[in-house]
Amino acid sequence: MPTKHAAQLLAAVIIAGLGLTACSQTSSDTADAKESSPSAAVSTPAAGGSAKPTPSATPSVVVNGKQKPADLPADLPLPQGELTSVTGTTGTYVLTYTTTDTASALAAYTAALKSAGYEVDGSPVGVQAVKANVNVMVTKTPAALQVALVAG
């Protein structure tokens, strides 16, 4: 298993997710920040008008969303707990699940990943899993599991 490569890739995803979160915090209109992407085209204002984001082929950036992204791999199991945060963009996400017993939730999620055919390398504080073009890194905190994934 290319553990070192997967770890580096997922570390980059987490850092990018945190960067996206920080960038959106500086926006005066968080609704527009959630709906636009860094490369989305913006129209120039007409006389007396205001600029509005123009739809583009680039998918929207999700910052502090609360719903499972629609483009997650169909066979990717998800951990037990309440989904409290989603950050990322198409194929690259960090999902946070709160739970009262993170140790049990991590053990159950590790078993679910193995059952779904993922090659899993685990430790008491986290798990790395790979299947085809999907890389998953799960970290445990006292109150939550964070699932960082790159698919594509």
Side-chain angles (χ1 to χ4, degrees):
M1 174 174 167
T3 304
K4 183 176 179 181
H5 178 68
Q8 292 170 338
L9 183 61
L10 289 168
V13 169
I14 292 169
I15 291 168
L18 294 174
L20 290 171
T21 302
C23 290
S24 72
Q25 300 291 328
T26 61
S27 173
S28 62
D29 186 354
T30 57
D32 284 346
K34 289 179 184 177
E35 293 174 2
S36 66
S37 68
S39 63
V42 176
S43 62
T44 55
S50 62
K52 299 217 180 216
T54 302
S56 69
T58 305
S60 295
V61 174
V62 178
V63 179
N64 290 327
K66 305 268 195 245
Q67 295 181 351
K68 178 183 91 164
D71 65 329
L72 291 179
D75 65 342
L76 175 69
L78 296 173
Q80 299 169 351
E82 178 187 354
L83 179 61
T84 56
S85 176
V86 177
T87 301
T89 189
T90 302
T92 307
Y93 296 102
V94 177
L95 296 91
T96 303
Y97 289 84
T98 58
T99 181
T100 56
D101 185 357
T102 56
S104 293
L106 181 61
Y109 190 47
T110 300
L113 286 166
K114 287 179 182 178
S115 293
Y118 284 79
E119 187 176 338
V120 177
D121 182 20
S123 74
V125 294
V127 170
Q128 290 180 303
V130 176
K131 180 179 178 184
N133 63 345
V134 179
N135 293 296
V136 181
M137 176 171 259
V138 185
T139 54
K140 177 183 78 151
T141 69
L145 292 183
Q146 285 194 319
V147 179
L149 71 105
V150 176

